[in-house]
């Protein structure tokens, strides 16, 4: 008889699931230690799990990573990225900021890689899917509650204020909006890609409604009018290649799908009109004015007079500020001879222009953040491996190239691919994404799906996988 009811492996798996839930909840569950540091439950569980894994590797030699051989090129890139980050400290303007940023990079890369490490089968993929789903459900439910009551969590920038805006468990509304567009594809495709009871599909349907409502309330133009439509377009284009022909040509399925889409649009529209009375309606209405704002700027910051004026298209200064943050960042990149200013040192260089840029120093663009901090070499490799990952996910999602994989793996591959494609625009919304856990979690799920899916293809050799159920089963 065992002293403990669970094996050591099961306890580590459970700790991993708990860590992922806390990672999504972010700064909500934490204790401020210093003005710039909060001891969150995510950080506690992360380092406990990391310590246990290192103990196994050092003293018990039980750290089995052979299955991760299928993503060894990605592992190599992450290792190179971390090494480059450390070396870049030698030329960084502020080594302290560089060390802090490198620590964040190490934590997020490790978080990302725990997914392919722990997810080795469909069962483990179901388990983590269930955890992510329920955590996301809590996030959007609180977002709806917050929009009505104006009760903000201590982690919110609006804590203690009667402001008609929502952030849920995040610090600002842009982070919430980006998290929503990252996770929405998993819910949407689950409605038709996975089998489940009416109750379960109803719960997924309700979560989609709440998530879309929260997305509108955030007023995030980049996610609502660029990331989300891009994902929908790509989904529609890839639908004939990912759904069996007999289901695709069945007109009843099209009627059901149209009914679901229309009903969601109607319900979300009514909720937005009845429950929320904030100013994001005007902000969303000016989304396409972004291009007019940019036309009024300059590519050469030396030609700028340093005066911020409301954009002609959006009647606000957000796009103007983001543009000049990007232009100054590109100037710093050129001055670094395209080697990058050093890990986390965009902000250090931007400090000289803080007053000109409305007290902003974050570059507000993940792609530019990687490029300016780490230079052309790391950025080019990042883009290449991002594209390679999308291609591998597409091959798993496509019926013709991967008839052997199960519906669950196909769902994970298709959803991850759409989420990462949407992030091409979504990544331009948060102020920084180095510790934006939803992005790293989706990237980790994508890598895990590649590992499980390609192992299935190798083992089954032409045998079509059986039906999958919702993660709750």
């Amino acid at each position: 008889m065992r002293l403990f009811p669970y094996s050591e492996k099961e306890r580590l798996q459970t700790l991993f699931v708990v860590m992922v839930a806390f990672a999504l909840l972010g700064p909500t569950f934490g204790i401020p230690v210093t003005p710039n540091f909060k001891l969150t439950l995510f950080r506690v569980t992360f380092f406990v799990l990391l310590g246990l894994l290192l103990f196994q590797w050092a003293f018990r030699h039980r750290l089995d990573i052979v299955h991760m051989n299928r993503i060894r090129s990605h592992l190599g890139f992450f290792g190179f990225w971390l090494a480059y980050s450390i070396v870049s400290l030698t030329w960084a303007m502020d080594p302290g900021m560089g060390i802090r940023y490198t620590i964040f990079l190490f934590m997020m890369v490790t978080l990302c890689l725990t997914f392919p490490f722990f997810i080795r089968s469909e069962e483990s993929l179901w388990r983590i899917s269930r955890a992510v789903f329920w955590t996301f459900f809590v996030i959007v439910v609180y977002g709806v509650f917050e929009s009505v009551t104006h009760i903000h969590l201590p982690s919110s920038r609006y804590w203690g204020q009667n402001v008609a805006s929502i952030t849920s468990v995040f610090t600002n509304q842009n982070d919430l909006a980006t998290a929503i567009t990252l996770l929405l594809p998993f819910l949407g495709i689950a409605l038709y890609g996975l089998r489940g009871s009416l109750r379960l599909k109803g719960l997924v349907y309700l979560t989609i409604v709440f998530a879309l409502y929260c997305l509108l309330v955030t007023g995030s133009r980049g996610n609502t009018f660029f990331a989300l439509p891009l994902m929908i377009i790509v989904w529609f284009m890839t639908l004939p290649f990912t759904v069996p022909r007999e289901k695709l040509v069945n007109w009843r399925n099209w009627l059901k799908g149209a009914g679901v889409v229309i009903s969601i649009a109607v319900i979300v529209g009514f909720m937005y009109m009845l429950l929320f009375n904030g100013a994001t309606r005007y902000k969303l209405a000016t989304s396409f004015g972004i291009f007019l704002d940019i036309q009024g700027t300059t590519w050469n910051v030396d030609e700028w007079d340093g005066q911020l004026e409301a954009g002609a298209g959006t009647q606000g200064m957000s796009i103007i500020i983001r543009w000049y943050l990007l232009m100054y960042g590109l100037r710093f990149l050129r001055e670094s001879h395209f080697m990058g200013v050093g890990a986390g040192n965009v902000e250090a260089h931007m400090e000289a222009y803080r007053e000109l840029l409305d007290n902003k120093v974050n570059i507000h663009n993940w792609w530019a953040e990687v490029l300016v901090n780490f230079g052309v070499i790391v950025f080019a490799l990042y883009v290449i491996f991002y594209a390679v990952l999308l291609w591998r996910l597409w091959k798993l999602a496509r019926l013709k190239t991967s008839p052997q994989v199960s519906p669950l793996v196909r769902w994970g591959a298709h959803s991850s691919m759409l989420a990462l494609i949407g992030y091409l625009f979504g990544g331009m919304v948060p102020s920084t994404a180095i510790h934006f856990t939803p992005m790293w979690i989706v990237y980790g799920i994508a890598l895990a799906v590649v590992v499980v899916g390609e192992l299935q293809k190798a083992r089954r050799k032409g045998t079509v996988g059986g039906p999958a159920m919702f993660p709750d089963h």
Side-chain angles (χ1 to χ4, degrees):
M1 181 178 178
R2 291 188 298 181
L3 180 62
F4 299 103
Y6 302 106
S7 68
E8 185 176 22
K9 181 179 178 181
E10 290 171 330
R11 289 197 294 271
L12 287 174
Q13 286 275 1
T14 301
L15 184 59
F16 164 64
V17 172
V18 172
M19 179 196 70
V20 171
F22 284 140
L24 279 174
L25 294 173
T28 305
F29 297 98
I31 303 172
V33 178
T34 68
N36 297 318
F37 178 76
K38 178 181 283 189
L39 184 63
T40 63
L41 290 179
F42 161 63
R43 289 171 177 169
V44 172
T45 52
F46 172 85
F47 283 108
V48 169
L49 181 61
L50 180 62
L52 291 174
L53 291 175
L54 290 175
F55 176 81
Q56 280 199 342
W57 173 69
F59 298 102
R60 299 187 180 180
H61 307 289
R62 292 182 182 175
L63 207 59
D64 180 18
I65 59 173
V66 175
H67 66 290
M68 295 176 68
N69 186 53
R70 294 183 176 273
I71 55 169
R72 59 185 179 275
S73 59
H74 293 271
L75 299 179
F77 165 67
F78 282 136
F80 173 77
W81 191 2
L82 283 167
Y84 194 96
S85 182
I86 294 170
V87 172
S88 73
L89 299 177
T90 60
W91 66 76
M93 176 186 288
D94 189 331
M97 293 180 71
I99 292 172
R100 180 174 180 269
Y101 197 93
T102 301
I103 292 173
F104 279 137
L105 180 62
F106 167 76
M107 290 180 63
M108 294 301 102
V109 166
T110 305
L111 169 66
C112 177
L113 294 179
T114 56
F115 284 83
F117 176 78
F118 281 104
I119 299 175
R120 309 184 185 200
S121 64
E122 285 194 43
E123 290 73 21
S124 53
L125 181 58
W126 290 353
R127 190 179 189 190
I128 198 61
S129 298
R130 182 172 63 245
V132 171
F133 169 76
W134 283 112
T135 308
F136 184 62
F137 179 77
V138 170
I139 290 172
V140 295
V141 165
Y142 190 83
V144 175
F145 171 80
E146 184 182 16
S147 73
V148 177
T149 64
H150 300 174
I151 298 176
H152 310 288
L153 294 172
S155 57
S156 172
R157 66 191 299 183
Y158 302 117
W159 164 246
Q161 303 177 47
N162 186 22
V163 178
S165 188
I166 67 170
T167 62
S168 190
V169 301
F170 299 95
T171 301
N172 63 61
Q173 60 270 40
N174 285 331
D175 290 349
L176 171 60
T178 306
I180 288 172
T181 53
L182 278 167
L183 296 172
L184 261 179
F186 293 90
L187 297 174
I189 296 178
L191 280 179
Y192 68 87
L194 297 179
R195 293 173 55 191
S197 66
L198 185 62
R199 180 181 66 85
L200 288 171
K201 294 210 173 188
L203 187 59
V204 172
Y205 177 94
L206 183 65
T207 308
I208 293 174
V209 169
F210 286 168
L212 287 173
Y213 168 76
C214 288
L215 180 61
L216 289 177
V217 172
T218 62
S220 173
R221 291 175 289 219
N223 282 290
T224 307
F225 285 101
F226 294 94
L228 184 61
L230 176 62
M231 290 189 297
I232 292 174
I233 291 170
V234 175
W235 166 76
F236 197 76
M237 291 172 59
T238 56
L239 190 63
F241 304 97
T242 56
V243 175
R245 180 175 174 78
E246 59 272 16
K247 292 184 178 180
L248 199 63
V249 298
N250 189 330
W251 62 271
R252 289 187 178 86
N253 290 336
W254 285 98
L255 284 179
K256 290 178 183 177
V260 168
V261 171
I262 293 171
S263 64
I264 288 176
V266 170
I267 295 172
V268 171
F270 270 114
M271 289 178 66
Y272 188 58
M273 298 301 295
L274 295 176
L275 299 181
F276 186 68
N277 59 357
T280 59
R281 293 173 190 169
Y282 176 77
K283 183 180 178 182
L284 290 175
T286 63
S287 294
F288 295 104
I290 290 174
F291 303 105
L292 194 58
D293 284 4
I294 293 175
Q295 286 181 4
T297 62
T298 175
W299 290 82
N300 186 355
V301 289
D302 292 326
E303 298 175 356
W304 181 41
D305 60 7
Q307 298 297 315
L308 287 174
E309 297 180 358
T314 65
Q315 302 301 313
M317 293 193 296
S318 174
I319 303 303
I320 307 297
I321 293 171
R322 285 172 178 268
W323 178 261
Y324 285 117
L325 284 168
L326 177 60
M327 291 303 104
Y328 275 115
L330 294 178
R331 173 201 267 185
F332 304 152
L333 177 67
R334 291 192 299 270
E335 292 172 350
S336 72
H337 305 289
F338 300 96
M339 296 294 290
V341 296
N345 267 244
V346 173
E347 290 84 353
H349 285 260
M350 207 73 76
E351 279 290 342
Y353 307 96
R354 178 188 282 272
E355 293 185 4
L356 293 177
L357 299 169
D358 195 34
N359 213 35
K360 305 289 193 304
V361 292
N362 295 111
I363 201 163
H364 286 70
N365 185 319
W366 171 241
W367 308 101
E369 186 175 342
V370 176
L371 175 61
V372 179
N373 275 322
F374 300 105
V376 171
I377 297 174
V378 171
F379 178 75
L381 288 172
Y382 182 82
V383 171
I384 289 170
F385 279 99
Y386 200 93
V388 168
L389 179 58
L390 289 175
W391 176 247
R392 296 177 77 176
L393 290 168
W394 168 238
K395 289 198 298 182
L396 288 173
R398 192 181 181 198
L399 286 165
K400 185 176 180 180
T401 53
S402 300
Q404 307 93 339
V405 303
S406 69
L408 181 68
V409 170
R410 197 178 315 282
W411 161 77
H414 200 188
S415 302
S416 300
M417 184 189 76
L418 293 178
L420 292 176
I421 288 174
Y423 193 71
L424 295 174
F425 284 115
M428 301 178 188
V429 177
S431 58
T432 176
I434 187 58
H435 47 67
F436 184 58
T437 53
M439 181 269 288
W440 293 100
I441 286 173
V442 170
Y443 203 112
I445 291 173
L447 290 174
V449 168
V450 167
V451 171
V452 175
E454 293 189 356
L455 283 173
Q456 278 189 358
K457 289 179 67 175
R459 289 171 181 168
R460 295 180 178 179
K461 295 180 180 179
T463 303
V464 178
M469 300 296 289
F470 269 91
D472 297 86
H473 280 251

